[in-house]
Structure formats: structure tokens, C-alpha cells
Amino acid sequence: MKKLVALSATLFSLVIFFPIFYSLSASFFTYTDFTSIPARLFSSAPTFENYRRAFTESKLERFLLNSLITASLGTIVRMTISVLAAYTFSFFSFKGRDVLFVLVVATMLLPSDALLIANYSTIRSLRLTDSYLGIIATSLLAPTHIFMLRQYFKTVSPEYREAAILEGCSDTRFLTTLLIPISKAVVITLAIHSFSTIFNDYLWPLLVTNREAMRTVQVALTMLGFSENLDYGPQFAAITLLMTPILIAFVVMHKPIQTSVSTRFTGR
Amino acid sequence: MKLYRTWKVKPYVLVLPALLLAVVFAYRPFVITILNSFHTVNLGGVRMQFVGVENYQRLFASESFQASLSNTLRFTLFFVPTNITICLSAALLSNREGKLATLNQIFFFLPMAVGLSSAMMIIKMMFNPSIGIINHLIGADIQWFNDPKAAMALLVIAGVYLDIGFNFLLLSAALRNVPKELVEVANLEGAGKMSIFRYLQLPLIAPTLVFVLMTNIKDAMLISSPVLILTEGGPFRSTQTLVYQMYLEGFKSGNYAMGSAIATVVFLLTFTILLSLLHLERRRVYYQ
């Protein structure tokens, strides 16, 4: 029974892993490997030609740069806004605090996909199409982040802050030298989550960029033109190149990733 | 005096960016979308004339929208049970100790590391009817992009692939939190795997399962990017979903009013689902 479970789990997991494996393997295929019968799982003559072509026949490095800039910028601004809001909502008492908190967090209920048209008009009237700011604009507010950070900050007694302020400590110093360091785990998890969300976003960057030079890599990936010509090698190479760093990070960090999910969503 | 004033203004200043964003990119567009759906809107996005429910009448009478609505519901109906069964089996099967189990777990959540458009492009190429590997491997000649049934199945497969990583992590974390002693005692008492699952694990992971179910239904109702990359709604509109049609009306035909009417329908559908599921959760799901 035990062996049967292990065997079926392994077969099943191999099926799920297959697309990643195939992309990696096919990025080294020669042109004819794709049409050979029976179908190949490994290259007949492994070659880096596809990688070379992915770079020389498209502006891949430019697209990558766009994605890295928008994802980093977006993460920094988004985390700053979230931490400030969560900090204020948990440590200050002021008129209308709870109403304002609900107002911010309730935006979770508005699916961003259904807001696309109206948000696009806003970005266009602000003349932010084809700009990095336009690409990240709708990702800057993260109600779930504010909610989760506030839950966490609430576990810190407000007396800490009062004592610190009485001793002449500024809010900035309290935040940067005490609160953020003790909530490091949550802040880092949310920052990684933000980065990958913005980096992997597809529909919004597609809509707000018209100029090829402003495309993010996820958008560009669907327009490289290789796959339309059934020229799969360079397409798989571009995809593999893009996912490999993240795959490695996931494999290396599999323990913290699994535990962070269990503490975030199951209460403890 | 000065101290008192800074104390008063400061919290508002600190939450201002979040509030401003909430207004500019959530509440204002929400209101504008609803308003636009009751007006004619010109190509510049300016509301022209109030037309009452005319947009909705035209919408519900149009074949295209009926197709979108029924496709979206059909997709949700196929996708949600399939996805939950697959993700839950993955979590149950890999809920073991040892190196092989860890490897299984890594393989199950790794799709999370592949971005949406990468994943869709991989699937698009793997399922190409002529030179894709899938038809070669299964030795069939399935027209994944030309046969309406196969295209819908492809969309479900794509949806599962996009969701399995995160859902697996959630469900397997919930399973790991079921106290081991309980399972061992049940084992000693002679309970089978099925009854351990049914009477012990299932009730304990129910809150997580409801959360997964809720997000699955919401995601399924809103599916658009996979449609855009894989099938572009075809063949014969058989995979045209609500948000995809909204995208077509808003960005391809410049028909903002219709696009807004579809968006409003999407709002209503998601609200209804979220509220009824919250209600369900409050009534049926018990924490131990």
C-alpha cells in the first residue's frame, strides 16, 4: 500500500513536472528534433543555437530589463505604501481610522480584471501609457498586504511605540530599527510575492504598452514571432531562460516556502 | 501646540497614498464602469447620453454575450471540480515522509514558479496538433485548437496547471497540520485510508478547502489571459469568456459602453459568489 502511494505520487508529480522538463529539454533541440517521429524527449545534438537566436532575433534583453525595473520599482513602492498604511492603522488612533481601514481593504472585493477598461482610460488621460509608472500603477495598492501586515503589527504592543516616542525616537526610526526587523519574515515573504506578481503580470502591461521597447518580458514572450512560424527552439530557450532563476530559487527555498504558506493561511 | 497638530495630521498623511490609490484605481473606476454601462460612450471614453438599460438589453440579446456567459459557466463547472480533485490528490499522495516525498512535493508546487505567459506558451506549443509533443505521446490526433470540446478541455488543463502550485501548497500545509497522533490512533483502531480521510482529515482541512474553492470559483469566472494567449476565444467563440469579451469590446472594438456593461455583470457574479460562499462557510464549516 505504502509503495503504491509512493509510486502513484511520483508518476503524478512527473506529469505535473513535464512541461518544465520539456521546455528545458526542447530549448536544446535542433530544428528537426521537433518534427522527428517518434517524438523526442531529448535533443539529438544539444545546441545553444536557440539561446543565441532568442537574443539576436529579438530584443529579449530590453524586455528583461523592463520587467526587472518595473518589478523592482513596483515592489519598493508597494511595500512602502503597505508598511506605512499598516503601521498607521495599527499604532495610531485617529478619527475615522476603522472606516478608512475598511475602505482600503474592501478594494480586495473589486476584481481588477473588471476594472481594466476604466483604469486604462485613467492611465491614458494621465498620459502614462508606455511608461514604467503606467505599468505598475494598478499594482501599487495591495490590500491583502496591508491586511496581513496589520495583523502582524497588532501582535506588537502599542506601548513599545509610546515608550520609544517618549524617549525621543521618531516614527521613522521606530519603523526601520524595531518594527520592520522584528517582522522581517512577513515583510520579506510579501516583498517576494509582490515582485513575482508584478514580474509575471500579463494583461495590464499588454494593454498599457504599445511601443515594442516598453514591453515587459511576459508580454513580449507571446509576441516573439518564433512560435507562430512553428520555430519552437528559440521560443523554448527564451522561456527557459526566464524561468530558470525562479525555479532554482523555489527548489533551494522549498522549506521556507512551504512553512510560510502553512503559517499564513492555516492560522499557525 | 505644534506637537499636538503634527500628531493630528500625521496618520492621515501616512495612509494617504493607500487611500488615494484605492480611490483612483478601485472605487472611481468601479463607479465609472457602472455609470458607463448606462450611457453611450464615445471613442475618447467620454459619456455621451443616458440610455437606461439599453446596453444591457442589447448585451443579453446578443449571441456573442450568451456564448461568453455560457462558456464562462461551463468552464467554471468543469474546472473547479477537476482542479480541486487534482490538487487534493496531489496533497494527499505526497503527504508522506522521506526524500522521495519531498521531491514529489517540489514537483507539485514548481509550476508556481513559471509565469502565466511562459506557462501558456509552453502549453500552446506542447499541444500543437501537428508538431506538439502531446499528440505524439498519446498517439492521437486531437485538434486542440479547432475542436470546441478539445479547446475547452485545453483551457481546463491550462487552468489547472496555473493553479496547482499554490493550491497544492495550501492543501498540503493544511494536511500537515492534522495532528499525527490522531491519524496513528485511527490507524491502530483499524480505520481505513478512506475513512481516515472522510472523518478525520477532511473536517480538519475544511476551512482551507473552502478558501481554495472560493478563490477557484472567482478565478474561473474571471479567466481571460489564458484565453487570450491560447485560443483567442475560438474556435467559433467556444472558449470566449466574459472577461475576454469585455477585453474585445473595450480594446478591440472601442465599445466602452458594452465593455462596461459586461464588467458590471462580472462584478455582480463575483459578488454573489463570494457572498454566498462566505455565508456557506459561516454555516457549515467548523473549526474542530
Side-chain angles (χ1 to χ4, degrees):
Chain A
M1 186 64 194
K2 270 220 163 85
K3 282 216 168 109
L4 193 70
V5 170
L7 184 69
S8 43
T10 305
L11 286 178
F12 185 15
S13 72
L14 284 175
V15 172
I16 300 299
F17 182 63
F18 186 72
I20 294 174
F21 159 79
Y22 187 69
S23 174
L24 185 69
S25 185
S27 68
F28 296 103
F29 275 19
T30 63
Y31 190 75
T32 48
D33 284 348
F34 286 99
T35 45
S36 72
I37 292 172
R40 291 193 156 272
L41 290 181
F42 295 96
S43 174
S44 59
T47 164
F48 277 102
E49 177 64 9
N50 294 323
Y51 286 90
R52 193 191 61 78
R53 288 187 53 212
F55 276 102
T56 50
E57 292 172 33
S58 80
K59 295 179 184 148
L60 198 57
E61 65 275 14
R62 171 75 207 212
F63 304 140
L64 266 168
L65 185 71
N66 288 341
S67 284
L68 287 176
I69 292 175
T70 48
S72 316
L73 196 71
T75 304
I76 293 168
V77 179
R78 168 153 139 161
M79 289 309 290
T80 310
I81 291 173
S82 304
V83 167
L84 284 182
Y87 173 61
T88 314
F89 284 129
S90 23
F91 285 98
F92 287 78
S93 56
F94 53 99
K95 234 183 172 170
R97 182 187 66 183
D98 296 344
V99 177
L100 294 180
F101 178 67
V102 171
L103 199 69
V104 169
V105 172
T107 56
M108 258 191 266
L109 297 174
L110 298 176
S112 60
D113 288 325
L115 300 171
L116 280 176
I117 298 179
N119 275 337
Y120 178 75
S121 317
T122 309
I123 290 299
R124 201 179 45 180
S125 56
L126 293 172
R127 300 191 187 285
L128 285 176
T129 50
D130 280 324
S131 74
Y132 290 140
L133 199 55
I135 296 173
I136 60 173
T138 52
S139 313
L140 295 181
L141 180 66
T144 47
H145 286 19
I146 295 176
F147 183 79
M148 274 152 70
L149 283 168
R150 179 173 169 272
Q151 295 287 88
Y152 197 86
F153 290 168
K154 281 256 162 185
T155 60
V156 179
S157 164
E159 278 144 32
Y160 274 112
R161 179 177 168 270
E162 272 157 38
I165 299 286
L166 274 182
E167 296 287 324
C169 173
S170 67
D171 277 305
T172 327
R173 248 193 82 198
F174 178 75
L175 253 175
T176 51
T177 59
L178 193 107
L179 196 59
I180 294 179
I182 60 169
S183 10
K184 206 167 58 189
V186 189
V187 173
I188 290 177
T189 312
L190 292 179
I192 293 173
H193 179 258
S194 287
F195 188 89
S196 72
T197 312
I198 302 174
F199 191 87
N200 285 333
D201 201 6
Y202 174 71
L203 200 50
W204 178 255
L206 169 74
L207 294 175
V208 291
T209 54
N210 298 315
R211 279 176 41 220
E212 194 192 0
M214 287 306 293
R215 271 179 212 156
T216 62
V217 72
Q218 299 291 348
V219 174
L221 213 49
T222 63
M223 304 180 181
L224 292 180
F226 297 119
S227 66
E228 286 81 352
N229 302 323
L230 299 185
D231 185 6
Y232 286 179
Q235 182 79 44
F236 275 121
I239 292 170
T240 304
L241 196 78
L242 187 60
M243 70 183 179
T244 305
I246 313 172
L247 285 177
I248 293 172
F250 267 63
V251 173
V252 173
M253 309 217 328
H254 71 96
K255 271 266 146 57
I257 288 172
Q258 283 176 295
T259 34
S260 84
V261 168
S262 87
T263 46
R264 257 167 69 191
F265 289 95
T266 49
R268 227 21 8 211
Chain B
M1 192 63 204
K2 192 167 177 275
L3 189 80
Y4 179 71
R5 267 200 58 199
T6 47
W7 228 98
K8 272 287 185 194
V9 180
K10 201 169 191 176
Y12 297 103
V13 175
L14 291 178
V15 297
L16 188 67
L19 281 173
L20 210 63
L21 286 168
V23 171
V24 176
F25 292 115
Y27 292 112
R28 184 172 172 273
F30 177 58
V31 173
I32 287 184
T33 303
I34 294 175
L35 280 178
N36 280 357
S37 74
F38 293 105
H39 288 78
T40 52
V41 182
N42 74 7
L43 280 173
V46 183
R47 271 187 300 285
M48 304 300 283
Q49 197 189 355
F50 180 78
V51 292
V53 292
E54 200 181 289
N55 289 326
Y56 290 96
Q57 282 171 344
R58 286 225 321 269
L59 193 64
F60 280 93
S62 86
E63 255 172 57
S64 180
F65 178 75
Q66 286 165 6
S68 302
L69 195 61
S70 92
N71 289 337
T72 306
L73 296 177
R74 232 155 27 96
F75 173 76
T76 309
L77 217 61
F78 292 140
F79 167 75
V80 175
T82 315
N83 192 39
I84 291 205
T85 313
I86 289 180
C87 298
L88 191 58
S89 329
L92 282 169
L93 285 172
S94 61
N95 188 26
R96 300 171 283 131
E97 303 286 333
K99 285 214 163 63
L100 185 62
T102 309
L103 188 69
N104 292 164
Q105 289 161 10
I106 291 176
F107 279 4
F108 281 129
F109 74 71
L110 222 41
M112 220 174 119
V114 187
L116 179 137
S117 72
S118 303
M120 292 304 100
M121 288 310 286
I122 295 176
I123 288 184
K124 195 173 181 178
M125 294 189 282
M126 281 177 44
F127 283 83
N128 182 290
S130 56
I131 71 168
I133 184 146
I134 296 293
N135 274 357
H136 283 264
L137 281 183
I138 58 178
D141 183 28
I142 303 173
Q143 292 299 309
W144 293 103
F145 301 91
N146 287 327
D147 170 10
K149 283 208 180 85
M152 184 54 94
L154 179 67
L155 212 53
V156 172
I157 294 171
V160 172
Y161 190 71
L162 286 176
D163 270 15
I164 189 167
F166 191 55
N167 287 345
F168 168 78
L169 278 183
L170 288 177
L171 292 169
S172 77
L175 277 174
R176 256 182 295 138
N177 282 358
V178 175
K180 284 212 173 55
E181 307 82 58
L182 284 181
V183 180
E184 274 161 23
V185 169
N187 244 328
L188 285 176
E189 301 279 328
K193 278 235 182 297
M194 272 319 279
S195 50
I196 290 181
F197 173 69
R198 170 72 189 77
Y199 297 105
L200 192 65
Q201 291 171 316
L202 191 62
L204 288 176
I205 65 166
T208 311
L209 206 56
V210 170
F211 175 80
V212 171
L213 183 74
M214 255 168 68
T215 45
N216 272 197
I217 296 179
K218 198 182 121 224
D219 291 349
M221 305 289 299
L222 294 171
I223 187 168
S224 59
S225 305
V227 179
L228 185 60
I229 301 175
L230 284 178
T231 63
E232 298 186 47
F236 323 114
R237 285 192 189 137
S238 64
T239 55
Q240 176 179 299
T241 58
L242 285 173
V243 178
Y244 180 69
Q245 193 195 349
M246 183 202 86
Y247 160 84
L248 288 183
E249 301 280 359
F251 296 100
K252 296 288 157 188
S253 326
N255 200 340
Y256 290 126
M258 281 309 224
S260 303
I262 300 173
T264 310
V265 174
V266 173
F267 283 134
L268 279 175
L269 276 172
T270 43
F271 285 156
T272 320
I273 289 160
L274 285 179
L275 287 178
S276 55
L277 276 161
L278 277 174
H279 184 69
L280 188 83
E281 184 181 37
R282 214 165 282 152
R283 278 189 40 208
R284 296 253 321 265
V285 180
Y286 35 90
Y287 294 74
Q288 217 155 6

